[in-house]
Amino acid sequence: MTARRRDLGAPIASVALRVAVGALTAACSHAGPNVSSAVTPAPPPSSVVATVSSASAAAPANPAPSAPSTVAATGAAATGTGATGTAASLAAASAPLSPGVSSPDSRVRLRASIDSLLDNPRFRNAFWGVLIVDPVHGDTIFARNADKLFLPASNMKILTGSVALTRLGPDLRFRTIFATTGHVTQGVLEGDLVVVGRGDPTASDHMMRDAMIPMRAAADSILAHGIRRITGRIVSGGDAFPGYGVGGWDWDDLTEDYGAGVDELFFNEGFAAITLHASKHQGGLATVSTAPLADYPPVQAHVTTVSRSAGPPLTQPAVAFDPAHGAVDIEGMLAPGDTTTLFVAYPDQTVAYLRAFADALRASGVALAPQPVGPPQDPAATLLSSARAAGHAPPPPAGRPLDTLFTLTSPPLRDVLAAMLKPSQNQLAEVLLRTLGLEITGVGSADSGRRVVESQLSAWGLPPDEYVIRDGSGLSRHDYVAPSTLVRVLTIISHDTAFSAFYDALPIAGVDGTLETRMRGTAAAGNVRAKTGFVDRARSLSGYVTTADGTRLVFSMLCNNWTTPVREVEQVQDEIAAQLALLNLGPP
């Protein structure tokens, strides 16, 4: 298919981009733990594969190899400095475009406008990668550094979510088995109650509005099986997600809610809300409450009440793990009468789940041993959620296999996708990565999941030198992705039979998710569906926008290594998206 003519008033370098425009056949694998370890990716699109040329702006005479290329911009001089200069450039850049006007010059003005925005002096030390394509007509609207590698931040979730949808299917449900190692006699379970998890991430306040709803449902099922008392312990059976529950993240992320590890038993997305209530009196200690569980994690708080007018500024409460005791340490100050809430990763994910289940059993009237869930035996490893020995069931005696009572089934994967993509929830992405490994290869490790993702990207025709995958969420600073990779994946998944599950899960500009407050009052509001991404010095936006004449474009805008306020990076991304929404491409 012939690409539209490009006239930027400068030399054009063509880079072949293989953009799939055919229908995908989604491979929905629901294999159990004994499936073959061979990774067989879903087939690539069977229909037309178009070659799209990537227009790159001409590079000026500049010896710096990483400097962004520039094109003389008309009507949008990028001469301002500071926030005022950036705002002026945004206003000037958007001025020439209006809806309903189609001409070759409209695309020239758009490209010049985008160049002006990216070349603002405020971004002289930044690295921009932008690719905007019309996959239906095989046209590249704009490209800069499209094949270069960038830190994608949460745009990594586009890869994880797309591959999960393709390989697992939108209707996959996580199953948690509840079984026993003993016999039930006159309402008494003489033995352990064993919970065998496979990574269900939906028992959370976020997805259920009350994380205890699945726990109470499981407790009701225990009662329905005639069990009124358990003499043994509540333990975890199996190890569906072996190894560490984190993905090459910075050490100081691991206490945060967004840096919580994952495990085959997973409660409330891996974190607790710890609320500190200052004393009413100077020098008094703050009181502590935790939720959703009242007694986990254990908290050692040394937070004193200090008047704001007494001496130096207050030291805000800060969190550290105490691996020797499996507890959370909090130190700092609060003003009299103040209250603050900290969101802290659970020291051990399996223990958190089992304690939640024990609380639900007690609330339903089931009698338990005084300490039905033991602490981890390896406190040094607790921080990485790998010490689960005390929560695992011992092998049942010879000739006495586990007796399954019932299976708890989660909502479908399509619901998990929305809960992951709209708020950019890291732990759901890490669960999906490990679930890909578990369901496709039989090993639920991060390494197995990465191999499945890489195999699928290869099957889709993506060059292996345009991505480096370290985790599923993008929190790792060892992830690298090219804008062209993101655009290709977004194009390919748009032809999947389950694409609506992916499209509906993306944040909507000005409406919900991480784009709720962005692009309001512009043509992009209610139009753009895109995934954001943010870690230090990396801001990303990739997704879909519909032009004024009804053409759906696919775009990726990645920015690394900027030192301006992050809002200035966002303003450029938002302005480009708004201009695309106003664009009238006309006939191909």
Side-chain angles (χ1 to χ4, degrees):
M1 185 176 293
T2 302
R4 289 197 181 98
R5 179 175 179 271
R6 298 160 186 81
D7 183 6
L8 298 179
I12 295 175
S14 280
V15 180
L17 287 179
R18 305 275 306 167
V19 179
V21 295
L24 283 175
T25 302
C28 304
S29 173
H30 298 261
N34 295 320
V35 299
S36 169
S37 61
V39 179
T40 305
S46 57
S47 56
V48 179
V49 177
T51 298
V52 180
S53 293
S54 180
S56 81
N62 189 329
S66 62
S69 57
T70 59
V71 172
T74 58
T79 58
T81 59
T84 302
T86 301
S89 294
L90 292 174
S94 61
L97 298 177
S98 59
V101 178
S102 176
S103 71
D105 288 343
S106 66
R107 284 188 283 277
V108 174
R109 289 197 301 271
L110 173 70
R111 291 162 182 157
S113 174
I114 296 174
D115 276 319
S116 176
L117 293 169
L118 303 184
D119 294 336
N120 188 290
R122 295 289 286 177
F123 303 118
R124 64 185 180 274
N125 58 354
F127 187 41
W128 279 98
V130 179
L131 180 60
I132 305 164
V133 305
D134 172 1
V136 174
H137 301 109
D139 188 10
T140 296
I141 307 299
F142 183 90
R144 178 183 290 195
N145 296 322
D147 296 328
K148 301 296 184 182
L149 291 177
F150 289 79
L151 193 68
S154 285
N155 271 204
M156 183 62 69
K157 295 182 177 75
I158 292 173
L159 306 188
T160 305
S162 297
V163 175
L165 186 63
T166 299
R167 300 307 308 274
L168 304 176
D171 299 317
L172 173 80
R173 294 175 185 267
F174 297 84
R175 289 172 171 79
T176 305
I177 296 172
F178 293 76
T180 68
T181 60
H183 300 287
V184 178
T185 304
Q186 296 182 340
V188 178
L189 169 58
E190 299 285 353
D192 292 335
L193 181 58
V194 183
V195 187
V196 184
R198 291 177 66 86
D200 181 358
T202 64
S204 68
D205 287 344
H206 172 205
M207 288 201 67
M208 297 290 183
R209 299 192 178 182
D210 180 354
M212 292 300 294
I213 286 177
M215 302 295 105
R216 287 193 284 267
D220 289 344
S221 293
I222 293 295
L223 286 173
H225 281 77
I227 298 174
R228 300 294 184 270
R229 181 186 170 201
I230 301 172
T231 62
R233 299 191 306 167
I234 304 172
V235 295
S236 170
D239 191 16
F241 287 179
Y244 293 154
V246 297
W249 302 339
D250 288 349
W251 185 257
D252 54 1
D253 288 332
L254 302 184
T255 61
E256 304 289 345
D257 55 334
Y258 62 80
V262 300
D263 214 338
E264 62 267 7
L265 293 179
F266 194 55
F267 179 71
N268 200 45
E269 296 177 351
F271 72 92
I274 301 176
T275 301
L276 303 169
H277 308 270
S279 171
K280 296 180 180 179
H281 308 291
Q282 176 85 3
L285 291 176
T287 58
V288 179
S289 60
T290 62
L293 303 178
D295 58 354
Y296 192 78
V299 179
Q300 299 172 353
H302 309 281
V303 178
T304 55
T305 304
V306 179
S307 173
R308 287 191 176 91
S309 60
L314 301 184
T315 301
Q316 295 300 312
V319 173
F321 277 140
D322 175 8
H325 301 92
V328 173
D329 278 348
I330 304 178
E331 296 185 358
M333 303 174 183
L334 287 176
D338 277 4
T339 297
T340 189
T341 299
L342 307 175
F343 300 98
V344 181
Y346 283 126
D348 188 281
Q349 301 301 338
T350 295
V351 169
Y353 186 101
L354 296 177
R355 288 199 177 212
F357 182 40
D359 284 355
L361 288 170
R362 289 192 191 96
S364 69
V366 177
L368 304 177
Q371 293 184 334
V373 179
Q377 293 179 345
D378 181 9
T382 297
L383 185 58
L384 296 176
S385 296
S386 62
R388 301 187 300 272
H392 279 275
R400 195 202 303 178
L402 289 177
D403 181 14
T404 298
L405 298 175
F406 60 90
T407 298
L408 194 66
T409 303
S410 77
L413 179 64
R414 66 177 69 247
D415 292 354
V416 177
L417 274 180
M420 176 184 76
L421 292 176
K422 283 192 181 290
S424 198
Q425 215 292 327
N426 291 334
Q427 284 61 46
L428 298 186
E430 299 305 324
V431 166
L432 288 185
L433 182 70
R434 288 158 177 79
T435 300
L436 280 166
L438 180 62
E439 297 288 343
I440 305 304
T441 75
V443 180
S445 67
D447 286 341
S448 294
R450 281 196 296 270
R451 285 193 290 271
V452 173
V453 174
E454 291 165 351
S455 177
Q456 187 60 55
L457 295 181
S458 177
W460 282 339
L462 277 74
D465 60 353
E466 289 188 8
Y467 54 85
V468 177
I469 299 172
R470 181 64 182 86
D471 65 5
S473 63
L475 182 58
S476 173
R477 299 192 72 87
H478 302 287
D479 292 317
Y480 294 96
V481 178
S484 58
T485 293
L486 290 165
V487 166
R488 295 176 201 189
V489 170
L490 288 166
T491 301
I492 290 168
I493 200 65
S494 71
H495 295 278
D496 194 288
T497 55
F499 173 59
S500 62
F502 183 84
Y503 188 73
D504 293 344
L506 290 169
I508 305 173
V511 176
D512 63 15
T514 54
L515 288 178
E516 181 177 1
T517 61
R518 292 176 60 177
M519 302 179 231
R520 287 181 174 176
T522 73
N527 177 341
V528 166
R529 304 283 186 113
K531 183 70 199 74
T532 58
F534 179 53
V535 295
D536 189 35
R537 310 303 164 192
R539 196 65 165 122
S540 308
L541 185 70
S542 301
Y544 309 94
V545 58
T546 302
T547 64
D549 60 353
T551 301
R552 186 163 66 199
L553 305 179
V554 184
F555 67 86
S556 178
M557 295 182 275
L558 310 184
C559 187
N560 283 185
N561 305 332
W562 37 266
T563 55
T564 68
V566 64
R567 183 58 192 138
E568 294 186 4
V569 177
E570 294 171 348
Q571 284 175 335
V572 170
Q573 295 171 336
D574 293 356
E575 178 57 35
I576 293 173
Q579 290 190 30
L580 294 175
L582 290 171
L583 189 64
N584 193 328
L585 291 172

